[in-house]
mmCIF file of all heavy atoms in Angstrom:
data_model
loop_
_atom_site.group_PDB
_atom_site.id
_atom_site.type_symbol
_atom_site.label_atom_id
_atom_site.label_comp_id
_atom_site.label_asym_id
_atom_site.label_seq_id
_atom_site.Cartn_x
_atom_site.Cartn_y
_atom_site.Cartn_z
ATOM 1 N N GLY A 124 -3.924 -0.217 -17.345
ATOM 2 C CA GLY A 124 -5.064 -1.142 -16.924
ATOM 3 C C GLY A 124 -4.556 -2.577 -17.129
ATOM 4 O O GLY A 124 -5.419 -3.430 -16.854
ATOM 5 N N LYS A 125 -3.419 -2.858 -17.584
ATOM 6 C CA LYS A 125 -3.066 -4.325 -17.830
ATOM 7 C C LYS A 125 -1.907 -4.637 -16.727
ATOM 8 O O LYS A 125 -0.986 -3.899 -16.434
ATOM 9 C CB LYS A 125 -2.303 -4.610 -19.210
ATOM 10 C CG LYS A 125 -3.236 -4.349 -20.351
ATOM 11 C CD LYS A 125 -2.639 -4.863 -21.661
ATOM 12 C CE LYS A 125 -1.486 -4.089 -22.087
ATOM 13 N NZ LYS A 125 -0.873 -4.553 -23.320
ATOM 14 N N TYR A 126 -2.164 -5.692 -16.135
ATOM 15 C CA TYR A 126 -1.181 -6.347 -15.120
ATOM 16 C C TYR A 126 -0.319 -7.409 -15.795
ATOM 17 O O TYR A 126 -0.702 -8.457 -15.923
ATOM 18 C CB TYR A 126 -1.859 -6.835 -13.926
ATOM 19 C CG TYR A 126 -1.005 -6.947 -12.600
ATOM 20 C CD1 TYR A 126 -1.133 -5.937 -11.784
ATOM 21 C CD2 TYR A 126 -0.236 -8.077 -12.453
ATOM 22 C CE1 TYR A 126 -0.236 -5.984 -10.684
ATOM 23 C CE2 TYR A 126 0.628 -8.097 -11.385
ATOM 24 C CZ TYR A 126 0.583 -7.002 -10.376
ATOM 25 O OH TYR A 126 1.386 -7.132 -9.270
ATOM 26 N N ILE A 127 0.905 -7.053 -15.960
ATOM 27 C CA ILE A 127 1.793 -7.951 -16.867
ATOM 28 C C ILE A 127 2.910 -8.464 -15.849
ATOM 29 O O ILE A 127 3.569 -7.742 -15.225
ATOM 30 C CB ILE A 127 2.493 -7.164 -18.041
ATOM 31 C CG1 ILE A 127 1.398 -6.652 -18.961
ATOM 32 C CG2 ILE A 127 3.446 -8.020 -18.827
ATOM 33 C CD1 ILE A 127 1.921 -5.576 -19.987
ATOM 34 N N VAL A 128 3.068 -9.815 -15.967
ATOM 35 C CA VAL A 128 4.073 -10.570 -15.157
ATOM 36 C C VAL A 128 4.975 -11.313 -16.069
ATOM 37 O O VAL A 128 4.617 -11.923 -17.141
ATOM 38 C CB VAL A 128 3.281 -11.613 -14.234
ATOM 39 C CG1 VAL A 128 4.266 -12.349 -13.498
ATOM 40 C CG2 VAL A 128 2.373 -10.712 -13.192
ATOM 41 N N SER A 129 6.229 -11.217 -15.781
ATOM 42 C CA SER A 129 7.262 -11.746 -16.671
ATOM 43 C C SER A 129 7.317 -13.417 -16.735
ATOM 44 O O SER A 129 7.517 -13.994 -17.734
ATOM 45 C CB SER A 129 8.712 -11.356 -16.332
ATOM 46 O OG SER A 129 9.043 -11.738 -14.967
ATOM 47 N N ASP A 130 7.034 -13.925 -15.625
ATOM 48 C CA ASP A 130 7.181 -15.553 -15.478
ATOM 49 C C ASP A 130 6.025 -16.140 -14.640
ATOM 50 O O ASP A 130 6.054 -15.970 -13.424
ATOM 51 C CB ASP A 130 8.599 -15.742 -14.797
ATOM 52 C CG ASP A 130 8.967 -17.146 -14.718
ATOM 53 O OD1 ASP A 130 8.197 -18.037 -15.213
ATOM 54 O OD2 ASP A 130 10.032 -17.508 -14.367
ATOM 55 N N LYS A 131 5.249 -16.825 -15.279
ATOM 56 C CA LYS A 131 4.096 -17.621 -14.689
ATOM 57 C C LYS A 131 4.588 -18.600 -13.556
ATOM 58 O O LYS A 131 3.965 -18.882 -12.615
ATOM 59 C CB LYS A 131 3.276 -18.211 -15.637
ATOM 60 C CG LYS A 131 2.077 -18.905 -15.105
ATOM 61 C CD LYS A 131 1.026 -19.383 -16.062
ATOM 62 C CE LYS A 131 -0.162 -19.896 -15.616
ATOM 63 N NZ LYS A 131 -1.053 -20.365 -16.802
ATOM 64 N N ASP A 132 5.724 -19.181 -13.868
ATOM 65 C CA ASP A 132 6.277 -20.298 -12.909
ATOM 66 C C ASP A 132 7.309 -19.848 -11.923
ATOM 67 O O ASP A 132 7.798 -20.799 -11.204
ATOM 68 C CB ASP A 132 6.776 -21.405 -13.876
ATOM 69 C CG ASP A 132 5.810 -21.954 -14.846
ATOM 70 O OD1 ASP A 132 4.696 -22.166 -14.483
ATOM 71 O OD2 ASP A 132 6.194 -22.174 -16.019
ATOM 72 N N PHE A 133 7.453 -18.591 -11.674
ATOM 73 C CA PHE A 133 8.488 -18.093 -10.727
ATOM 74 C C PHE A 133 7.941 -18.570 -9.349
ATOM 75 O O PHE A 133 6.758 -18.466 -9.011
ATOM 76 C CB PHE A 133 8.598 -16.649 -10.793
ATOM 77 C CG PHE A 133 9.832 -16.135 -10.102
ATOM 78 C CD1 PHE A 133 11.059 -16.268 -10.671
ATOM 79 C CD2 PHE A 133 9.658 -15.469 -8.906
ATOM 80 C CE1 PHE A 133 12.235 -15.755 -10.039
ATOM 81 C CE2 PHE A 133 10.819 -15.051 -8.157
ATOM 82 C CZ PHE A 133 12.152 -15.115 -8.744
ATOM 83 N N PRO A 134 8.814 -19.174 -8.474
ATOM 84 C CA PRO A 134 8.134 -19.700 -7.335
ATOM 85 C C PRO A 134 7.624 -18.656 -6.300
ATOM 86 O O PRO A 134 6.822 -19.065 -5.428
ATOM 87 C CB PRO A 134 9.508 -20.389 -6.600
ATOM 88 C CG PRO A 134 10.652 -19.711 -7.264
ATOM 89 C CD PRO A 134 10.222 -19.394 -8.701
ATOM 90 N N ILE A 135 8.112 -17.406 -6.224
ATOM 91 C CA ILE A 135 7.533 -16.416 -5.449
ATOM 92 C C ILE A 135 6.320 -15.770 -6.077
ATOM 93 O O ILE A 135 6.453 -15.391 -7.166
ATOM 94 C CB ILE A 135 8.605 -15.383 -5.063
ATOM 95 C CG1 ILE A 135 9.912 -16.057 -4.448
ATOM 96 C CG2 ILE A 135 7.990 -14.293 -4.089
ATOM 97 C CD1 ILE A 135 11.012 -15.096 -4.330
ATOM 98 N N LYS A 136 5.246 -15.736 -5.413
ATOM 99 C CA LYS A 136 3.984 -15.198 -6.017
ATOM 100 C C LYS A 136 3.644 -13.940 -5.184
ATOM 101 O O LYS A 136 3.807 -13.718 -4.069
ATOM 102 C CB LYS A 136 2.820 -16.191 -5.899
ATOM 103 C CG LYS A 136 3.198 -17.604 -6.555
ATOM 104 C CD LYS A 136 3.380 -17.462 -8.114
ATOM 105 C CE LYS A 136 3.653 -18.846 -8.617
ATOM 106 N NZ LYS A 136 3.921 -18.832 -10.014
ATOM 107 N N SER A 137 2.898 -13.022 -5.889
ATOM 108 C CA SER A 137 2.408 -11.746 -5.295
ATOM 109 C C SER A 137 1.024 -12.085 -4.879
ATOM 110 O O SER A 137 0.372 -13.099 -5.152
ATOM 111 C CB SER A 137 2.347 -10.682 -6.346
ATOM 112 O OG SER A 137 1.363 -10.898 -7.242
ATOM 113 N N TYR A 138 0.346 -11.219 -3.990
ATOM 114 C CA TYR A 138 -0.938 -11.273 -3.562
ATOM 115 C C TYR A 138 -1.841 -11.298 -4.753
ATOM 116 O O TYR A 138 -2.876 -12.060 -4.735
ATOM 117 C CB TYR A 138 -1.295 -10.010 -2.621
ATOM 118 C CG TYR A 138 -0.372 -9.913 -1.457
ATOM 119 C CD1 TYR A 138 0.219 -8.660 -1.284
ATOM 120 C CD2 TYR A 138 -0.207 -10.828 -0.642
ATOM 121 C CE1 TYR A 138 1.026 -8.415 -0.061
ATOM 122 C CE2 TYR A 138 0.567 -10.761 0.487
ATOM 123 C CZ TYR A 138 1.093 -9.488 0.754
ATOM 124 O OH TYR A 138 2.050 -9.342 1.854
#
Side-chain angles (χ1 to χ4, degrees):
K125 295 193 297 184
Y126 200 96
I127 301 170
V128 176
S129 63
D130 185 356
K131 185 175 184 178
D132 298 321
F133 197 76
I135 305 169
K136 305 295 184 186
S137 70
Y138 301 127

